[in-house]
Amino acid sequence: MLAEKRWILSPQGDIEKTQTLARELNIPAVLSNLLVQRGVDTVEEARRFFNPQLSELHNPLEMKDMEQAILRIRKAVERNGKIMVYGDYDVDGTTAVALVYTFLSSIGHNNLLFYIPDRYTEGYGISYKGIDYAEENGVELIIALDCGIKAVSKVEYASKKNIDFIICDHHLPDETIPQAVAVLDSKRTDCNYPFKELSGCGVGFKLVQGYCQYYNIPFSKIENLLDYVAVSIASDIVPVIGENRILAHYGLKRLNENPSKGLRSIIKICGLEKHRITIDDIVFKIGPRINAAGRMEMETDDGSVSAAGGNNAVRLLISNTEEKAVKYGNIIDSCNTGRKEIDRTITLEAQRIVEQNDLLKKSKCTVIYNPTWIKGIVGIVASRLIERYYRPTVVLTMSNGLITGSARSVPGFDLYQAIESCSDLLENFGGHTYAAGLTMKPDKLDEFKKRFEQYVDTHIQPDMLIPQINIDSNLALEEITPQFREVLCRFQPFGPGNPAPVFRTDNVCDYGHGRRVGNNLEHLKMDIINKNNSSPISAIAFSQAYHADHVLKDGLFDICYIVVENNYRGEVKPQLRIKDIKPRK
């Protein structure tokens, strides 16, 4: 059983604004309150929020270096110069590569190849091996996506080989910007582009949008690429606000109505072909399968085995026949199955390390190391340990003679600063506030553990170590009407910056059909009812079967939850996805 969570009711919206929106938009007050809580407090803003428009996308030519990038691509296209599309091995990188590769093919440029670095032998970002490969294959231009903003020496190395770079990144740059033909990154301090939170694939989309705009190619030419962008936005956990909200809205529309052949293959494998696909479906079903390709060793076209499996993810995404889509869909699904088995094994091993060490159990952070663990899995394991122990976590393994791994944090604690404080011990590191990667020489491990633990011990606040659920509003079950559900759906797509609203209802009970479900009976399925509600509402509490003794014996309890649409055999009904249960004494 996990530690008891704190329930915190978020500040409520201004009453006058809430009432005005409810009246003018003819929506329930609890939902107009949600709008005001999210900074949408006028009727005009609300209508724009509920009706995202492609016409409101920003002008891509406002991005620093955009014109230089467009002109360099045009130069390569006009003289049939070879272009290599290069991207990171995760979902954001592979979708970005697929998007730009597909676009260049669609305008008739076929002197193309793509490149995804091997996670294990090359690591993240631009590699010397990738540049050498480009030289061997007569490449004159590399378009780097979702990476490259810090590749100063790599770009210089390529320049000496007469290979130009266009960098499309969304990570924070250092003071020195690579001397590429163009560096597209709205986080550059000298870039006035108004939206700073694009995914890497989103930056790639702005590049092709800019190209179309510059050469009077209709926008309809690239609308079919928006499903890639939606998958990247969901998987890379960028804020679903502003321009990302528009891109995700239309990308999901494309994903549901007419996805690319490769994504359609994954949708079928996930069992989502008759389901209205949401951000959650991408995060938990589609994204992990694409990600797994870059985490595991996979069979290549010639029958050999490579750890550069991200290439197979791109092959899936750019498939132009059903046969190829099915082939690569099955390959990466098989890879995902293997990933889950290894993930489960390593997580159990990691938990045993914590449980068998009294000092580690009592620590305010977790730093563990096992040289046999797979590099591509340790980030997932770190996230699993956060769920169990709720504290900053670093999971390390050995790769190519160096200790390398991933770190994850809890809300409120800046993990990046903690790792940066140990930077003199590290070969390299990168990431952001809540997730990071790092590499060090083996003889630095003990000192790193000591200093990282000291930093956390002196900087983390006690309440950061207690799981917290932020509740948007109290809600009576009888308020969950068809109109309520219809309006709530219009708040989608959900994600960071616009999370699925969490409601609280007190003093409820199970109608009498509650039971444990799941392969290990770890989940709790119920029909929730209270004294004012004669119609039970289906509910599922994942990984909360430890409440069964109270809930299934007609006990009263309080719940916090999100409201979802459950599609079962073609019938759509509301379902409460329970985040936590507090039994009443």
Side-chain angles (χ1 to χ4, degrees), residues 508-577:
V508 301
C509 64
D510 175 58
Y511 188 57
H513 303 295
R515 61 193 184 279
R516 297 177 178 88
V517 296
N519 292 335
N520 299 305
L521 300 180
E522 69 272 36
H523 312 310
L524 193 57
K525 188 167 176 51
M526 302 163 281
D527 290 308
I528 300 293
I529 195 169
N530 65 17
K531 61 182 180 181
N532 298 320
N533 188 66
S534 58
S535 300
I537 298 181
S538 170
I540 181 76
F542 292 113
S543 302
Q544 295 179 62
Y546 50 83
H547 286 305
D549 287 344
H550 180 86
V551 167
L552 303 184
K553 292 179 180 177
D554 299 324
L556 292 174
F557 50 94
D558 303 337
I559 53 174
C560 63
Y561 56 90
I562 62 175
V563 180
V564 299
E565 299 288 302
N566 186 35
N567 191 327
Y568 182 68
R569 295 180 179 176
E571 187 176 5
V572 179
K573 290 185 175 181
Q575 184 180 63
L576 310 184
R577 188 175 295 166

